[in-house]
C-alpha cells in the first residue's frame, strides 16, 4: 500500500475511533449489553439508537490482519449463545468505504442477532479445528439476519469435514462442537433467518475443501430467505448453497430416528460463478415446500440438485412433513451455461441401499421398499435458459414433474426422465441443437419391478436440430414401453426454412415410440417442418405387422406426415392406389384410402387392421363399371368376402374386429 493511502486509511480509522471509542477488554469480556452507559453515550453521539451495537465497542478492529485472533475472541464473547448478552442489530461500520474485519475462527451466534455489514468485508482465514464440522464463520440456529456486505473465506479445511463455510444455518446432532441439535428437543424451531445483499467469496484449501459451501444449512429449518446473493467460488468451491436434512430424535440406531426437514425456504436472485469443475450451485437434500426464483450459474457442474437423500422422508418428524403435503419444490427463472454435467436434477426416487437404511431394507418386502423409495419429491420448473452444457439439460425421477417455458440448447440431451417419473408435463419448451435426443423419456431406470406406467403431456414445444453427434440417429422425442397415456400436442419438430431460416439436417424421427407396448399416445395438431434425412419418419412406432397400435393416434398433423409402424391416423393417401386382380389394398396408417381400377378387379385383399375398432374408408375414384370384388373372407380379411363389391365413384367404410381378424362393412 502506498504511504499516502496508508496515511489516509490511518487517519480515517483514528476518526472512527474518536467517534466510537473502543471498549476495554474488561467490557468486552463482560458481554455487557447496550444498557452500558459508555456505549449508550457513544451511540447517541453518533446519532444511533442505543440498541444498535457497533462491533468496535466490543474490542473488534478493522483493517488489521494481525487482529484476526483477538477479533474472533471478542466477537465470540459478544455473541456467545450460551450466556446473556446484546441482542438486536450488530453493525460493522465501514468508515473508509472498504473496511475489512479479520477473523480466524467460527463465531457461534446468539438467537435474535441481526448483522449489518454496512458494505464492508469480513475475512475468515486460517486453519479450521477438529470441532468445526458442518460450520461457518457466522454460525446461527434461529432468529438471525446477515445483510449488506462481503464475506471472504480462505481456510485450510483439512481438520474437519463440511468446514470453511461463510455462513452456517442450523446443525445436526452432535456433528459440530459449537451446537448440539436434536430438533424435537428444541424450545423453538430452527429458522426465521434472512440473508440479503451479500457477496460470498470462497477460496478454501485442504483435504476437505470439497465439502465447503458458501452457505450451509442443516436440520428442520423453516422460514429462511436468501436473496440477492452473489457467490464467487474462485475456481475451487464445490458447493454454493447446500441444505441437508437433520435429526429430530437421538436414538442410537439412526434407522430408528425421526428426521427433520427444512420447509418454507426461499432463494431469490442467486448468482453463482467460478465453481470448481465438480461444483453444484444449489443443493436441497430432503427439503420441501421451498421456492427458488432466480438462479444464475455460469461455471461448475450442476446448477440445481434436489433429492430426498438417505432419509427418504421415511421417519419424518411429526408435523408438517407428515401432514399429507407433497414434498414439492418450485423453481423459476433458472439460467445456466457451460456446465460440466446435468444442469437441473429433479430427483424423487432414492435407493435405500446407498444410505444408512441399507441394513434395514434387507427385511422389507419388495413392494414396501418400492413405496419407500419412490414418489419422494415433486418439482415445478417454470422459466429457464440452459445452454452449452456437457450433460443433460434436465433429469427427472420425480413422482410428478412440471417443466414449462424454457430453452435448452447445445447440451448432450435436452430432457431425460426415468421410469419413476410417472407424471410428466412439458409445456412451452424449446429443445434445440443437442448432441443426442431432444427428449428421452424412456431411459429405463426403474426401482419398481416391473416399472409402473406413466402419463406424459407435451404441449407447444419446439424440438429441432438435435442428434448433432450422429445425424438421424436420435429422435426429437423418444417415449417407451411403460407409457399408458401421452399427449403430444401443438408441437413443432425440425428446422424449417420458412420458420427458422434454416433447414433441418440432423434430427432423426420427430417422435419415436420405442416399444410396441406403449399405448394411448395421442399426437395432435403437431407440425413436422423437417427431418434429418430420408431414413427418418415424422412418426415412428416400434409396433409393426400384427402388433396392435394400442390406441396410438396421429390427428390433424401438418408438414411432413410420414409414419412408420402401426398408428391410427386421420391420414388420406396422397394418390390413388391402382387396383387389379388379386391386388392388396394397403391400409397402414391411413384412415381414407384412395383407389382406382382401370378395369374390373377380383380376388382383391384388404390389408389387415391392427387396432380394435379401427376404421378405414375406401374411395373408389375409377369409372363406375370398374368394380372391385374381394376374395373369400379367409384371404381378403373382409367379412362378406366375394359378395362385397365396390363400384366406381363410390365409397365404403370398414370396421376392424380384432377378435376374428376381419373387416366388417359399415352399411
Amino acid at each position: 500500500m502506498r504511504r499516502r493511502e496508508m496515511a489516509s486509511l490511518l487517519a480515517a480509522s483514528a476518526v472512527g475511533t474518536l467517534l466510537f471509542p473502543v471498549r476495554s477488554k474488561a467490557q468486552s469480556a463482560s458481554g455487557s449489553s447496550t444498557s452500558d452507559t459508555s456505549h449508550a453515550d457513544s451511540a447517541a453521539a453518533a446519532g444511533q439508537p442505543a440498541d444498535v451495537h457497533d462491533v468496535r465497542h466490543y474490542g473488534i478492529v478493522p483493517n488489521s490482519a494481525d487482529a484476526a485472533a483477538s477479533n474472533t475472541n471478542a466477537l465470540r464473547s459478544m455473541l456467545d449463545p450460551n450466556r446473556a448478552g446484546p441482542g438486536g442489530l450488530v453493525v460493522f461500520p465501514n468508515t473508509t468505504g472498504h473496511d475489512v474485519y479479520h477473523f480466524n475462527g467460527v463465531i457461534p451466534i446468539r438467537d435474535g442477532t441481526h448483522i449489518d455489514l454496512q458494505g464492508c468485508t469480513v475475512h475468515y482465514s486460517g486453519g479450521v479445528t477438529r470441532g468445526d464440522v458442518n460450520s461457518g464463520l457466522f454460525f446461527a440456529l434461529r432468529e438471525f439476519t446477515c445483510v449488506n456486505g462481503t464475506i471472504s473465506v480462505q481456510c485450510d479445511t483439512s481438520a474437519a469435514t463440511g468446514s470453511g463455510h461463510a455462513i452456517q444455518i442450523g446443525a445436526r446432532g452432535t456433528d459440530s462442537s459449537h451446537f448440539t441439535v436434536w430438533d424435537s428437543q428444541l424450545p423453538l424451531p430452527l429458522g426465521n433467518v434472512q440473508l440479503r445483499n451479500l457477496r460470498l467469496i470462497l477460496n478454501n484449501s485442504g483435504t476437505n475443501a470439497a465439502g465447503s459451501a458458501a452457505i450451509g444449512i442443516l436440520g428442520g429449518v423453516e422460514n429462511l430467505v436468501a436473496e440477492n446473493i452473489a457467490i464467487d467460488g474462485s475456481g475451487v468451491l464445490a458447493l454454493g448453497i447446500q441444505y441437508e436434512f437433520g435429526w429430530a430424535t437421538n436414538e442410537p440406531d439412526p434407522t430408528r430416528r425421526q428426521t427433520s426437514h427444512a420447509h418454507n425456504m426461499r432463494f431469490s436472485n442467486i448468482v453463482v460463478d467460478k465453481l470448481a469443475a465438480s461444483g453444484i450451485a444449489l443443493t436441497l437434500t430432503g427439503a420441501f415446500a421451498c421456492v427458488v426464483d432466480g438462479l444464475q450459474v455460469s461455471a461448475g457442474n450442476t446448477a440445481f440438485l434436489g433429492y430426498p437423500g438417505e432419509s427418504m422422508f421415511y421417519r419424518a418428524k411429526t408435523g408438517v412433513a407428515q401432514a399429507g403435503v407433497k414434498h414439492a419444490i418450485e423453481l423459476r427463472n433458472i439460467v445456466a451455461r457451460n456446465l460440466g454435467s446435468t444442469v437441473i436434477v429433479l430427483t424423487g426416487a432414492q435407493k435405500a441401499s446407498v444410505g444408512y437404511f441399507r441394513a434395514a431394507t434387507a427385511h422389507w418386502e419388495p413392494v414396501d421398499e418400492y413405496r419407500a423409495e419412490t414418489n419422494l419429491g415433486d418439482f415445478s420448473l417454470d422459466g429457464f435458459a440452459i445452454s452449452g452444457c456437457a450433460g443433460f439439460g434436465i433429469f427427472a425421477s420425480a413422482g410428478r414433474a412440471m417443466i414449462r417455458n424454457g430453452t435448452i440448447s447445445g447440451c448432450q440431451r435436452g430432457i431425460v426422465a426415468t421410469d419413476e417419473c410417472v407424471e410428466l408435463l412439458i409445456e412451452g419448451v424449446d429443445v434445440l441443437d443437442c448432441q443426442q435426443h431432444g427428449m428421452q423419456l424412456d431411459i429405463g431406470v426403474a426401482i419398481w419391478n416391473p416399472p409402473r406406467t406413466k402419463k406424459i403431456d407435451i404441449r407447444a414445444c419446439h424440438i429441432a436440430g438435435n442428434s448433432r453427434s450422429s445425424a438421424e440417429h436420435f429422435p426429437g422425442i423418444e417415449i417407451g414401453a411403460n407409457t399408458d397415456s401421452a399427449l403430444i400436442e401443438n408441437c413443432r419438430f425440425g428446422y424449417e426454412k420458412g420458420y427458422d431460416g434454416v433447414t433441418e439436417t440432423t434430427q432423426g424421427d420427430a417422435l419415436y415410440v420405442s416399444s410396441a407396448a406403449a399405448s394411448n399416445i395421442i399426437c395432435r395438431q403437431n407440425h413436422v417442418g423437417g427431418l434429418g434425412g430420408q431414413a427418418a419418419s415424422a412418426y415412428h412406432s416400434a409396433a409393426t405387422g400384427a402388433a396392435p397400435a394400442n390406441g396410438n393416434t396421429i390427428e390433424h398433423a401438418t408438414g411432413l406426415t410420414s409414419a412408420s409402424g402401426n398408428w391410427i391416423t386421420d391420414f388420406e393417401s396422397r394418390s390413388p392406389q391402382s387396383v387389379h386382380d388379386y391386388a392388396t389394398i394397403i391400409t397402414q396408417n391411413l384412415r381414407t384410402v384412395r383407389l382406382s381400377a382401370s378395369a374390373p378387379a377380383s380376388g382383391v385383399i384388404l390389408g389387415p387392421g391392427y387396432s380394435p375398432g379401427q376404421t378405414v374408408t375406401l374411395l373408389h375414384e375409377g369409372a363406375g363399371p370398374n368394380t372391385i370384388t374381394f376374395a373369400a373372407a379367409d384371404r381378403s380379411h373382409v367379412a362378406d368376402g366375394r359378395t362385397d363389391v365396390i363400384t366406381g365413384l363410390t365409397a365404403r367404410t370398414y370396421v376392424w374386429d380384432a377378435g376374428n381378424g376381419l373387416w366388417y362393412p359399415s352399411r
Side-chain angles (χ1 to χ4, degrees), residues 27 37 52 123-124 130 147 162 168 191 248 266 304 307 332 396 410-411 520 525 537 559 563 585 647:
Q27 288 174 320
T37 303
V52 176
H123 184 68
Y124 171 31
R130 292 179 60 186
V147 299
Q168 173 66 43
R266 178 181 292 272
F304 175 82
Y307 70 112
R332 298 194 292 263
C411 296
N520 297 318
Q525 295 175 315
S537 298
I585 298 172
T647 59

Short mmCIF file of all heavy atoms in Angstrom, two decimals, residues 27 37 52 123-124 130 147 162 168 191 248 266 304 307 332 396 410-411 520 525 537 559 563 585 647:
data_model
loop_
_atom_site.label_atom_id
_atom_site.label_comp_id
_atom_site.label_asym_id
_atom_site.label_seq_id
_atom_site.Cartn_x
_atom_site.Cartn_y
_atom_site.Cartn_z
N GLN A 27 -14.67 -4.66 29.44
CA GLN A 27 -16.03 -4.50 28.94
C GLN A 27 -16.39 -5.58 27.93
O GLN A 27 -17.48 -6.13 27.94
CB GLN A 27 -16.19 -3.13 28.29
CG GLN A 27 -16.20 -1.97 29.28
CD GLN A 27 -16.20 -0.65 28.57
OE1 GLN A 27 -15.51 -0.48 27.57
NE2 GLN A 27 -16.97 0.30 29.09
N THR A 37 -23.43 2.40 29.95
CA THR A 37 -23.53 3.85 29.81
C THR A 37 -22.63 4.40 28.72
O THR A 37 -23.05 5.20 27.88
CB THR A 37 -23.20 4.53 31.15
OG1 THR A 37 -24.08 4.03 32.15
CG2 THR A 37 -23.33 6.04 31.03
N VAL A 52 -28.40 -0.40 18.82
CA VAL A 52 -27.52 -0.72 17.70
C VAL A 52 -26.13 -0.94 18.26
O VAL A 52 -25.56 -0.05 18.92
CB VAL A 52 -27.51 0.41 16.65
CG1 VAL A 52 -26.50 0.10 15.56
CG2 VAL A 52 -28.90 0.59 16.06
N HIS A 123 -13.39 -11.05 6.64
CA HIS A 123 -12.47 -12.04 6.09
C HIS A 123 -12.16 -13.11 7.14
O HIS A 123 -11.76 -12.80 8.26
CB HIS A 123 -11.17 -11.36 5.65
CG HIS A 123 -10.21 -12.30 4.99
ND1 HIS A 123 -10.45 -12.88 3.76
CD2 HIS A 123 -9.00 -12.78 5.39
CE1 HIS A 123 -9.44 -13.66 3.43
NE2 HIS A 123 -8.54 -13.63 4.41
N TYR A 124 -12.38 -14.37 6.73
CA TYR A 124 -12.17 -15.53 7.61
C TYR A 124 -11.06 -16.36 7.01
O TYR A 124 -11.18 -16.86 5.90
CB TYR A 124 -13.48 -16.31 7.70
CG TYR A 124 -13.46 -17.66 8.38
CD1 TYR A 124 -12.59 -17.96 9.42
CD2 TYR A 124 -14.37 -18.64 7.98
CE1 TYR A 124 -12.61 -19.20 10.04
CE2 TYR A 124 -14.40 -19.88 8.60
CZ TYR A 124 -13.51 -20.15 9.62
OH TYR A 124 -13.54 -21.39 10.23
N ARG A 130 -10.77 -29.37 14.66
CA ARG A 130 -11.48 -30.65 14.55
C ARG A 130 -12.95 -30.51 14.89
O ARG A 130 -13.78 -31.28 14.42
CB ARG A 130 -10.83 -31.69 15.47
CG ARG A 130 -9.43 -32.09 15.03
CD ARG A 130 -8.84 -33.10 15.99
NE ARG A 130 -9.64 -34.30 16.06
CZ ARG A 130 -9.41 -35.30 16.92
NH1 ARG A 130 -8.42 -35.21 17.79
NH2 ARG A 130 -10.20 -36.37 16.92
N VAL A 147 -26.79 -9.05 6.42
CA VAL A 147 -27.08 -8.28 5.21
C VAL A 147 -25.92 -7.36 4.86
O VAL A 147 -25.08 -7.03 5.70
CB VAL A 147 -28.37 -7.44 5.39
CG1 VAL A 147 -29.58 -8.32 5.65
CG2 VAL A 147 -28.21 -6.42 6.52
N GLY A 162 -17.03 -30.56 5.99
CA GLY A 162 -18.10 -29.57 5.98
C GLY A 162 -17.71 -28.28 6.66
O GLY A 162 -18.56 -27.59 7.24
N GLN A 168 -23.24 -20.67 8.22
CA GLN A 168 -23.88 -21.95 8.54
C GLN A 168 -25.15 -21.67 9.31
O GLN A 168 -25.13 -20.98 10.34
CB GLN A 168 -22.96 -22.85 9.37
CG GLN A 168 -23.62 -24.13 9.86
CD GLN A 168 -23.99 -25.08 8.74
OE1 GLN A 168 -23.20 -25.28 7.81
NE2 GLN A 168 -25.16 -25.68 8.81
N GLY A 191 -34.61 -21.63 12.31
CA GLY A 191 -35.10 -20.82 11.21
C GLY A 191 -35.38 -19.37 11.58
O GLY A 191 -34.77 -18.82 12.49
N ALA A 248 -34.23 -35.35 14.16
CA ALA A 248 -35.21 -34.84 15.11
C ALA A 248 -35.08 -35.53 16.46
O ALA A 248 -35.29 -34.92 17.50
CB ALA A 248 -36.62 -35.02 14.57
N ARG A 266 -36.87 -19.80 0.85
CA ARG A 266 -36.96 -19.10 -0.44
C ARG A 266 -35.58 -18.57 -0.80
O ARG A 266 -34.92 -17.89 0.00
CB ARG A 266 -37.95 -17.94 -0.36
CG ARG A 266 -38.07 -17.13 -1.66
CD ARG A 266 -39.05 -15.99 -1.50
NE ARG A 266 -40.40 -16.48 -1.34
CZ ARG A 266 -41.23 -16.73 -2.35
NH1 ARG A 266 -40.84 -16.53 -3.59
NH2 ARG A 266 -42.44 -17.17 -2.12
N PHE A 304 -28.71 -26.97 -10.16
CA PHE A 304 -29.62 -27.31 -9.07
C PHE A 304 -29.71 -28.82 -8.93
O PHE A 304 -29.91 -29.54 -9.92
CB PHE A 304 -31.02 -26.74 -9.32
CG PHE A 304 -32.02 -27.18 -8.26
CD1 PHE A 304 -32.08 -26.52 -7.06
CD2 PHE A 304 -32.85 -28.27 -8.48
CE1 PHE A 304 -32.97 -26.93 -6.07
CE2 PHE A 304 -33.74 -28.69 -7.52
CZ PHE A 304 -33.81 -28.02 -6.30
N TYR A 307 -33.04 -33.64 -4.15
CA TYR A 307 -33.32 -35.07 -3.98
C TYR A 307 -33.66 -35.37 -2.52
O TYR A 307 -33.39 -34.57 -1.61
CB TYR A 307 -32.15 -35.91 -4.48
CG TYR A 307 -30.86 -35.88 -3.68
CD1 TYR A 307 -30.42 -37.00 -3.00
CD2 TYR A 307 -30.06 -34.75 -3.66
CE1 TYR A 307 -29.23 -36.99 -2.30
CE2 TYR A 307 -28.86 -34.72 -2.99
CZ TYR A 307 -28.45 -35.85 -2.29
OH TYR A 307 -27.27 -35.82 -1.60
N ARG A 332 -38.01 -21.29 -10.51
CA ARG A 332 -38.37 -20.31 -11.54
C ARG A 332 -37.12 -19.56 -11.96
O ARG A 332 -36.23 -19.30 -11.16
CB ARG A 332 -39.42 -19.31 -11.01
CG ARG A 332 -40.75 -19.92 -10.62
CD ARG A 332 -41.81 -18.84 -10.46
NE ARG A 332 -41.56 -17.98 -9.32
CZ ARG A 332 -42.13 -18.13 -8.12
NH1 ARG A 332 -42.95 -19.14 -7.90
NH2 ARG A 332 -41.85 -17.28 -7.14
N ALA A 396 -35.07 -35.98 -14.60
CA ALA A 396 -36.18 -36.08 -13.64
C ALA A 396 -36.49 -37.52 -13.28
O ALA A 396 -36.68 -38.36 -14.17
CB ALA A 396 -37.43 -35.41 -14.20
N GLY A 410 -27.75 -26.93 -27.11
CA GLY A 410 -26.34 -27.30 -27.11
C GLY A 410 -25.91 -28.19 -25.97
O GLY A 410 -24.73 -28.19 -25.61
N CYS A 411 -26.81 -28.97 -25.40
CA CYS A 411 -26.45 -29.92 -24.34
C CYS A 411 -26.29 -31.32 -24.95
O CYS A 411 -26.52 -31.53 -26.14
CB CYS A 411 -27.51 -29.93 -23.25
SG CYS A 411 -27.66 -28.34 -22.39
N ASN A 520 -51.91 -45.51 -26.04
CA ASN A 520 -52.65 -44.25 -25.91
C ASN A 520 -51.74 -43.02 -26.07
O ASN A 520 -51.84 -42.06 -25.32
CB ASN A 520 -53.39 -44.19 -24.57
CG ASN A 520 -54.43 -45.27 -24.46
OD1 ASN A 520 -55.15 -45.56 -25.41
ND2 ASN A 520 -54.49 -45.92 -23.30
N GLN A 525 -52.30 -32.18 -33.80
CA GLN A 525 -52.03 -30.82 -34.28
C GLN A 525 -50.55 -30.44 -34.16
O GLN A 525 -50.21 -29.32 -33.82
CB GLN A 525 -52.91 -29.82 -33.51
CG GLN A 525 -54.39 -30.01 -33.79
CD GLN A 525 -55.27 -29.12 -32.94
OE1 GLN A 525 -55.07 -29.00 -31.74
NE2 GLN A 525 -56.26 -28.51 -33.57
N SER A 537 -38.58 -40.77 -40.01
CA SER A 537 -40.03 -40.62 -40.17
C SER A 537 -40.51 -39.52 -39.25
O SER A 537 -39.95 -39.30 -38.17
CB SER A 537 -40.75 -41.92 -39.81
OG SER A 537 -40.38 -42.97 -40.68
N GLY A 559 -47.35 -30.36 -42.17
CA GLY A 559 -45.96 -30.51 -42.55
C GLY A 559 -45.70 -31.92 -43.07
O GLY A 559 -46.53 -32.51 -43.78
N ALA A 563 -45.22 -41.80 -41.65
CA ALA A 563 -45.43 -42.61 -40.45
C ALA A 563 -44.89 -44.00 -40.67
O ALA A 563 -45.14 -44.62 -41.70
CB ALA A 563 -46.92 -42.66 -40.10
N ILE A 585 -54.82 -54.04 -51.00
CA ILE A 585 -55.01 -52.63 -50.69
C ILE A 585 -54.28 -52.34 -49.38
O ILE A 585 -54.56 -52.94 -48.34
CB ILE A 585 -56.51 -52.30 -50.55
CG1 ILE A 585 -57.23 -52.58 -51.89
CG2 ILE A 585 -56.70 -50.85 -50.11
CD1 ILE A 585 -58.74 -52.46 -51.80
N THR A 647 -68.35 -50.50 -56.45
CA THR A 647 -68.40 -49.94 -57.80
C THR A 647 -67.62 -48.64 -57.84
O THR A 647 -67.33 -48.02 -56.82
CB THR A 647 -69.85 -49.69 -58.22
OG1 THR A 647 -70.44 -48.79 -57.29
CG2 THR A 647 -70.65 -50.99 -58.23
#
